[in-house]
Amino acid sequence: MSSDTFLASKRMSDEVKADLPLHPEKYTMLTGDRPTGRLHLGHYFGTIIERVKLQNLGVTSRILVADYQVITDRDSTEHIADNVHNMVIDYLACGIDPEKTIIFNHSAVPALNQLMLPFLSLVTESELLRNPTVKAEQEASGHALTGLLLTYPVHQACDILFCKGNIVPVGKDQLPHIEQTRQIARRFNERYGRVFPEPVGLLTEAVEIPGLDGRKMSKSYGNAIALSATPEETAKLIKKSKTDSERFITFDKENRPGVSALLTTAALTTGRDEVEIAAEVGNEGSGALKRYVTEAVNSYLAPIRERRAELEARPEYIREVLHEGNRRANEIADATLAEVREAMGMVY
Ligand code: TRP
């Protein structure tokens, strides 16, 4: 993405952020996650907190458990039902309120997926191949570039536009997808008449919580603290995280990634400052730091884990939440598809 496009995106994002508290009713948020595992602290501080905030501000909110996106770069849907179920539990435990926010799946909303056909006609092969995120994901997966991976940004346009979403909280790496969605909306409206908004990517100032080794927190790196982990599992994971041989604790991301990741984790979960915590632990070394972080994370997550346990005991309720979400998403998708058919003259 060119720096001009980035600056334009940033400007739009800032404008919307200023307007949101004044006119929350103007906005529909759509966002989602791939159900490939449990949500972890990276998701929590990176996006979940922001979603709960928007929901509680009165913004119309929809959250997609993006099940078809799981097979963009893997060969199996193993554990998918369990992952979806637990993702709904994670959302609710973190404060997503199903009375206010529709939680739904790709695979349960046919009319959403049908938008893919007209939308694919609005993009060219070279535009698809240019998307930097798609390229990076394909390389990381070690897989051949599947048709679904190549076109999933278009599918994301379907996700956003089926409910006329006009804000999408995103990290920088998702901006090219938002740009592609805007282009699809614009081209559709130009060809067939105005149906869709041009959504804005809300750049979250997401504090990026590093994984326990200082790299990005990701389940596949084994450096992630899942919201659903037990306090003992959390302690174990923190205990075996890599620090360094220097005893005195200092905050130095560049040269001491392990120690600094622990300090950032402690800072986010206590609301304190990294440097202050480092000074306090000082000469007591990384063992003491790890005990401090373990205590901080477990106390922070205690209420979430408590709600999680209550929800886990009510699997029927969780299924109901998803069924109701899917029912409502279908209503919205059917209405949008009817408009699309009308605009395209396909009413027979
Ligand atoms: N790509 C997102 C992820 O990797 C999930 C997702 C699917 C999404 N459709 C979306 C996010 C639409 C924002 C908008 O988790």
Side-chain angles (χ1 to χ4, degrees):
M1 168 168 271
S2 76
S3 59
D4 275 3
T5 325
F6 176 74
L7 285 178
S9 306
K10 173 92 174 75
R11 186 157 26 79
M12 282 188 287
S13 171
D14 288 343
E15 275 170 23
V16 169
K17 270 189 203 157
D19 190 47
L20 264 168
L22 306 174
H23 304 288
E25 73 287 347
K26 286 198 326 211
Y27 297 97
T28 296
M29 173 201 75
L30 180 289
T31 179
D33 302 282
R34 299 176 194 207
T36 53
R38 303 290 172 271
L39 293 183
H40 53 61
L41 279 183
H43 299 114
Y44 184 78
F45 286 108
T47 107
I48 306 289
I49 287 187
E50 177 78 10
R51 297 179 195 177
V52 173
K53 227 194 288 167
L54 291 170
Q55 166 197 276
N56 293 341
L57 211 57
V59 169
T60 302
S61 301
R62 285 88 179 78
I63 298 182
L64 165 65
V65 183
D67 54 357
Y68 275 136
Q69 225 175 71
V70 170
I71 49 169
T72 49
D73 63 358
R74 7 188 130 203
D75 291 335
S76 149
T77 52
E78 211 189 351
H79 307 307
I80 195 155
D82 188 51
N83 287 345
V84 170
H85 185 81
N86 275 283
M87 193 156 268
V88 177
I89 294 178
D90 279 337
Y91 290 151
L92 302 191
C94 291
I96 298 294
D97 175 355
E99 299 291 323
K100 296 184 180 145
T101 296
I102 298 178
I103 303 173
F104 69 102
N105 290 116
H106 275 141
S107 62
V109 187
L112 179 159
N113 295 294
Q114 192 173 328
L115 294 176
M116 190 74 173
L117 289 167
F119 285 4
L120 278 173
S121 76
L122 301 168
V123 294
T124 66
E125 180 193 16
S126 59
E127 284 166 352
L128 291 170
L129 287 166
R130 260 206 306 272
N131 187 308
T133 305
V134 167
K135 254 189 246 168
E137 288 180 22
Q138 187 262 319
E139 280 161 17
S141 76
H143 248 251
L145 180 60
T146 65
L148 189 61
L149 182 53
L150 179 65
T151 56
Y152 96 84
V154 183
H155 199 213
Q156 271 195 204
C158 304
D159 300 339
I160 297 166
L161 295 177
F162 94 96
C163 64
K164 307 203 174 162
N166 56 4
I167 53 174
V168 187
V170 286
K172 252 198 209 163
D173 63 322
Q174 295 276 311
L175 274 181
H177 298 352
I178 304 298
E179 207 38 52
Q180 210 151 27
T181 298
R182 293 171 60 81
Q183 202 169 50
I184 288 169
R186 203 176 312 128
R187 287 179 185 166
F188 185 96
N189 294 344
E190 274 164 13
R191 273 191 210 180
Y192 303 111
R194 200 194 131 84
V195 173
F196 295 111
E198 283 182 38
V200 172
L202 265 196
L203 284 162
T204 43
E205 271 115 57
V207 239
E208 203 171 287
I209 186 166
L212 289 170
D213 54 1
R215 290 191 289 173
K216 183 180 162 153
M217 189 176 277
S218 162
K219 199 182 90 163
S220 52
Y221 292 158
N223 63 3
I225 301 174
L227 303 179
S228 57
T230 63
E232 295 72 32
E233 286 164 347
T234 305
K236 223 181 189 172
L237 204 65
I238 293 171
K239 195 163 181 192
K240 70 166 210 257
S241 73
K242 233 172 94 188
T243 48
D244 52 46
S245 54
E246 208 174 313
R247 180 161 183 90
F248 199 84
I249 297 303
T250 51
F251 183 58
D252 177 354
K253 277 204 246 186
E254 194 105 321
N255 300 308
R256 308 188 70 184
V259 166
S260 300
L262 287 171
L263 285 166
T264 300
T265 308
L268 282 170
T269 48
T270 56
R272 297 182 64 196
D273 183 73
E274 282 117 337
V275 177
E276 193 186 299
I277 300 171
E280 192 174 283
V281 179
N283 209 27
E284 289 175 58
S286 58
L289 175 61
K290 286 179 176 180
R291 281 192 295 279
Y292 184 82
V293 176
T294 303
E295 168 61 25
V297 170
N298 281 337
S299 314
Y300 187 88
L301 289 179
I304 294 178
R305 286 169 170 168
E306 200 174 308
R307 278 197 298 276
R308 238 198 150 274
E310 286 163 18
L311 292 160
E312 254 179 342
R314 301 169 64 199
E316 266 315 308
Y317 169 67
I318 300 301
R319 269 191 285 279
E320 247 170 61
V321 165
L322 197 54
H323 288 168
E324 178 59 12
N326 282 332
R327 191 190 62 73
R328 292 166 70 194
N330 269 298
E331 268 177 17
I332 297 168
D334 288 344
T336 301
L337 185 59
E339 272 185 76
V340 165
R341 288 198 183 104
E342 180 92 28
M344 297 177 76
M346 291 175 165
V347 182
Y348 313 115

